[in-house]
Amino acid sequence: MRLLLVEDDAMIGESLHEALVGENYAVDWVRDGRSAELALGNDVYDLLLLDLGLPKKQGLQVLSEYRQRGGMLPVLIITARDATADRVSGLDAGADDYLVKPFDLDELFARVRALLRRQAGRAQPIIAYGGVTLNPASREVFLNGSVLNLSAREFALLQALLDPPERVLSLAELEEKLYGWDQEIGSNAVEVYIHHLRKKLGTNFIRNVRGVGYKVAAI
Amino acid sequence: MNSIRQRLLLWLIVGMLISTGIAGLSMYLLAQDEANELFDYQIKQIALSLPGSSQLPVVTADDEDPEEDNVIQVWDAQGKPLFVSYPSRALPRYVATGLHTVNYRQQPWRLYNTQRRGQFIQVAQPMTVREELAAALALRMLMPFFVLIPLLAGLIWWSVGRSLRPMQDVTTALATRHADAMQPLDETDLPQEIKPMVIALNQLLMRLDQAMQSQRAFVADAAHELRSPLTALKLQLQLTERTSGDEQRTIAFTKLNQRVDRSIHLVQQLLTLARSEPRLEQAQFTDVDLSALAYEVAQDFMPLAEAHQTELRLELQPDVRVSGQQVDLRTLISNLVDNAIRYSSDGSQVRLCVARETGHAVLQVIDNGSGIPADERERVFDRFYRREGTEVIGSGLGLAIVRNIAAVHHADLELSDNSSGSGLVVTVIFPL
């Protein structure tokens, strides 16, 4: 899952970036409204975390223009503006959720998970598919009831393939979901992780769609 | 007695009583004069109308009120009493003729003596008769006043109460309003005596309203701005909790410390700003040596300048004195020097100059950093205004504090470009 974090405060941005990376999200952090617009143009993100008081272009303007262009990303506003009118205008401009600073990291993570869940079109917090059960909150994976030990990257890769399942993702898309701008990607890193996952889940669980990419398929 | 109504009533009634008393006394004296004249004439006529040489019967039967009546006595040429009207009250024979006043048995009498055909006639009248008549007359003339005074008292009580009703209305209007209702009181149709008070009150309300609005804006701004360092602090605290390993924990604690420092800095600046807000009463000014103060501040900033490899150069004319508050002026210079060092790139130069010009003392802080564009020079004095793209962690309050302190000292504040290349010049011009 790749998130775009828009936050002008260096200290807050740094901590949020660190915290989200710690949750195995790929995070790109930009610090003003213009850069946010540029980054959104890439269309590789699963969620937008947006501060409102931004240099160069205000967060609300960035958001409403993004929605006018047809942007579908779930948007979570994180701001110090706590007045009811601010919340209303934030949500009316197209935000899906609104979090007032200072907030708790666990709450932020929960809201991010909830938004991603809805974006993938499901209501259940746990993803179950073909004998595999994945819990994004506790980051546990079960195969036919028994716990699987996955590395952080393996977990992120599996979640990308399962949420929603049976969608075909290219190698490039998978790389984008796993790595932010600031992370080095080994030339065949994703293929290595797929190889590891196949060993743990069974070879046929992750299918190679020739010439397109990968998808999960129930055995 | 603290009621205007009671006080007015008391003084008016006392005044009326005193003037009634004076009027009564003068009426009594006038009436007494009249009575004297009248009775003198009366006793003279009695004496003159007595029949001559007749043998008058001696009257023995006193009438009902003998005290008030005249005593008529007649003697023959040898001094033998021929007649006395009330023997029980017979007076001695006074030789002097005409009208005169005597004391007999501790009582003043008025006498008229005359001699006719060998007879000596004396008519005496007690003075009390005259006094009683005068008093009765005076009292009768004063009677209307005694009716008038209670009537007037009632009238005063009622009319004063009625005249003071606008005051009562003002009191009610003030008493029943909310603490935050600062709209002015109605000034129309007010009596001349109360109108200035209400106008003054409205002006006070207006000033209070302005002060409260600026305080409210300040608190709202401060609440908003406090959230950022607190958010950074809380996030870092939660991240620190999650760290494992000594190295990670050390880094996390360093960051935690930076964020606490930032919060402390903001709170300190907020408090300094609140203190520097222009006050209504004039602050206590003393004679401050601006050059010496600038020198002291520069010493304090040497370590910071060294850390930024900035050359802090002093150009101070000795003994430039202004009237002001030492503590505030130190804050002003410190904020300007601090800004100049922090917002200039490393290896730059900051000049702190104090000079005396005709009628002014001039303090300048000159850096060769990136400067401030002309269109932002007004806004940088707004509280919490931070220029876009500044990497330096600041509160956005430093220049707002400087502006407040300059205003309290009636000093002019100017931002301009550094003529020798890039950079900003902050000029504070103090009146001498």
Side-chain angles (χ1 to χ4, degrees), chain B residues 128-260:
Chain B
T128 49
V129 176
R130 304 173 174 209
E131 282 157 13
E132 275 165 23
L133 181 76
L137 264 173
L139 204 64
R140 200 167 300 170
M141 289 171 83
L142 282 179
M143 277 313 276
F145 285 90
F146 293 117
V147 181
L148 205 61
I149 287 173
L151 264 178
L152 269 175
L155 188 70
I156 292 166
W157 186 256
W158 178 79
S159 64
V160 170
R162 203 183 151 77
S163 307
L164 290 180
R165 191 169 301 158
M167 212 125 106
Q168 187 62 46
D169 294 344
V170 170
T171 309
T172 315
L174 282 177
T176 54
R177 64 168 48 193
H178 292 290
D180 54 351
M182 287 293 182
Q183 70 270 29
L185 294 163
D186 188 11
E187 285 175 16
T188 52
D189 291 337
L190 279 178
Q192 217 179 331
E193 291 80 2
I194 298 173
K195 198 164 187 168
M197 197 177 79
V198 172
I199 290 173
L201 198 62
N202 279 343
Q203 285 166 349
L204 176 67
L205 281 173
M206 203 171 70
R207 288 198 298 272
L208 272 175
D209 192 31
Q210 283 167 353
M212 269 174 69
Q213 271 176 9
S214 82
Q215 278 296 313
R216 222 173 278 156
F218 175 73
V219 170
D221 284 352
H224 183 264
E225 291 300 321
L226 271 169
R227 283 177 208 267
S228 287
L230 288 180
T231 305
L233 189 57
K234 183 170 173 72
L235 289 174
Q236 187 55 43
L237 186 66
Q238 293 187 314
L239 283 174
T240 308
E241 277 174 353
R242 289 158 202 245
T243 53
S244 53
D246 286 345
E247 200 183 333
Q248 263 194 310
R249 194 166 297 132
T250 309
I251 297 170
F253 271 113
T254 308
K255 287 184 181 175
L256 202 52
N257 258 314
Q258 287 169 355
R259 283 143 179 74
V260 173

Side-chain angles (χ1 to χ4, degrees), chain A residues 27-46:
Chain A
V27 184
D28 295 335
W29 171 25
V30 296
R31 302 172 62 164
D32 63 72
R34 290 272 152 69
S35 314
E37 280 185 328
L38 276 175
L40 283 170
N42 290 339
D43 207 20
V44 296
Y45 298 104
D46 298 290

Side-chain angles (χ1 to χ4, degrees), chain A residues 42-142:
Chain A
N42 290 339
D43 207 20
V44 296
Y45 298 104
D46 298 290
L47 181 128
L48 170 63
L49 285 163
L50 184 66
D51 184 22
L52 291 184
L54 293 173
K56 294 185 184 160
K57 194 162 197 175
Q58 285 294 304
L60 270 186
Q61 202 185 343
V62 172
L63 174 58
S64 50
E65 285 175 14
Y66 172 69
R67 288 291 191 234
Q68 274 161 26
R69 286 197 305 271
M72 296 291 285
L73 280 190
V75 175
L76 170 55
I77 286 178
I78 40 173
T79 179
R81 298 181 195 164
D82 65 339
T84 308
D86 291 325
R87 294 165 194 257
V88 169
S89 61
L91 292 168
D92 281 348
D96 300 278
D97 202 353
Y98 197 102
L99 197 54
V100 174
K101 293 173 183 173
F103 48 80
D104 205 90
L105 271 182
D106 287 329
E107 185 180 353
L108 174 75
F109 296 152
R111 285 177 190 269
V112 166
R113 283 195 297 269
L115 288 173
L116 289 172
R117 185 165 76 218
R118 281 287 169 196
Q119 181 69 1
R122 60 190 169 85
Q124 281 71 33
I126 290 167
I127 308 165
Y129 180 79
V132 175
T133 313
L134 185 142
N135 184 342
S138 63
R139 279 190 272 156
E140 289 172 317
V141 180
F142 299 89

